[in-house]
Amino acid sequence: MEISRNATRAVQIGSVTIGAGHPVAVQSMTATATQDVAATVAQVNDLAAAGADVVRIAVDNRADAEALAAVRAQTIANLAVDLQENYRLAELVAPHVDKVRYNPGHLYHHERHKPWQDKVRYLADVAAQNDCAIRVGVNCGSVDPAKRDQFAADDEIGPMLASALEHCELLDSLGFTRYCVSLKDSAPAAVIDVNRRFAEARPDVPLHLGVTEAGLPPDGIIKTRIAFEQLLSRGIGDTIRVSLTVPNSRKAEEIAAGRQILADIAAGRVRSVVDFGLKTLNIISCPSCSRVENEAFIDLAEQVKEMTRYAEEYAITIAVMGCRVNGPGETDAADLGLWCGPTHVNLKRRSESLGAYPYDQILARLRAELDILIDRRKDTPV
């Protein structure tokens, strides 16, 4: 499925370029102790071999910075560094990485008397001198208290968005435009909301997408997938990270999950009801998984696709969902929705239930409902 991407600027991160129509890059982060150089090198190389375009390493002190230099000497992977709370480490680590990530909410931890603008100016200078990109990483749980105080206590999105936009404005004024932004939350809905709002305000800035603290698979993958489907399908997002709670030996699963999500979105295989911005018939279906209660769901999705070809000139969305876990809620936004149980398929018109039908009867019933929608729209076909 062809998706029109936001026309963001290009940002080079080592051998990879994000934005400006380049393929969406997949990232991960090491979970080893950075000072354990052998373990960190092994994990960086494992992630790179699994298809990671960029691998991030956390640095919290000078010993970590020294270890990072040793890691750099043993890998050709594109490396990003997470400065954690000590922004002053930038000058020690920048010579060894391709991107520096800082959190606006952590800048106040050191040298509290110094304006945050001076600290960002320092980071931009260090990055420019060392041929590094920057990621402005805004997290819901660590927004600058001064920024949070400007908004209502129950407004989680406002402080994040304002902080990101403020930092972009400053970096632009400094003449440093080789940066991307991330706005992360543990709730997929918040991730969708804040990133859509940012993309509307700054469509030129590449976005790094992620759901922080997503948790254990498969739930962590599902939560991340929902956010990514809603954003990437609208052309929002230039690089992604799937954050999973897995042992070090399984970190490569983050890359596999990210690649699979990208492939599924490109093919229209999604779990949530996504508006791809199409002005023609839009059929979406979730990937088959262990939750599917009847494998006939897979054949049904194919049959729906074939049967509805006659309606391809009409902007109608049909969702085919494979289980009762995701099906009932995720068909609400579709013009017509099917969610499949063990013996029957539930048919919906948006949130309205139209009944449950055996698998061998559902296609005829779906066609009847589709014809009703077409009749209503015949005066305005696309």
Side-chain angles (χ1 to χ4, degrees), residues 79 85 294 331:
L79 298 181
E85 298 182 354
N294 190 331
T331 48

Side-chain angles (χ1 to χ4, degrees), residues 284-304:
I284 62 174
S285 60
C286 61
S288 57
C289 72
S290 60
R291 287 194 170 104
V292 171
E293 296 175 291
N294 190 331
E295 290 186 4
F297 148 74
I298 300 170
D299 291 334
L300 177 61
E302 290 291 341
Q303 292 166 4
V304 169

Side-chain angles (χ1 to χ4, degrees), residues 151-164:
F151 293 82
D154 61 350
D155 185 354
E156 184 178 82
I157 301 300
M160 294 175 63
L161 184 61
S163 180

Side-chain angles (χ1 to χ4, degrees), residues 28 43 46-51 244 246-258:
S28 185
Q43 189 160 91
D46 284 348
L47 289 167
L244 299 176
V246 292
N248 284 355
S249 61
R250 294 172 53 193
K251 285 294 288 182
E253 291 181 23
E254 293 189 345
I255 304 303

Side-chain angles (χ1 to χ4, degrees), residues 91-110:
E91 60 194 73
L92 300 180
V93 298
H96 312 297
V97 298
D98 304 290
K99 182 171 69 172
V100 173
R101 183 264 187 184
Y102 79 88
N103 183 337
H106 286 166
L107 291 179
Y108 71 93
H109 284 288
H110 288 262

Side-chain angles (χ1 to χ4, degrees), residues 361-373:
Q361 297 178 20
I362 188 61
L363 283 176
R365 187 69 181 82
L366 174 64
R367 178 158 189 159
E369 288 296 324
L370 180 56
D371 287 343
I372 292 172
L373 286 182

Side-chain angles (χ1 to χ4, degrees), residues 101-168:
R101 183 264 187 184
Y102 79 88
N103 183 337
H106 286 166
L107 291 179
Y108 71 93
H109 284 288
H110 288 262
E111 301 176 335
R112 296 196 175 198
H113 64 283
K114 183 177 291 187
W116 67 266
Q117 292 89 341
D118 291 348
K119 299 174 183 180
V120 172
R121 185 175 293 105
Y122 158 81
L123 290 171
D125 287 343
V126 169
Q129 292 168 12
N130 289 277
D131 194 26
C132 287
I134 282 179
R135 169 153 69 102
V136 180
V138 181
N139 274 13
C140 62
S142 55
V143 177
D144 188 332
K147 183 60 62 181
R148 188 177 294 279
D149 290 345
Q150 298 174 17
F151 293 82
D154 61 350
D155 185 354
E156 184 178 82
I157 301 300
M160 294 175 63
L161 184 61
S163 180
L165 293 172
E166 190 174 55
H167 280 254
C168 291

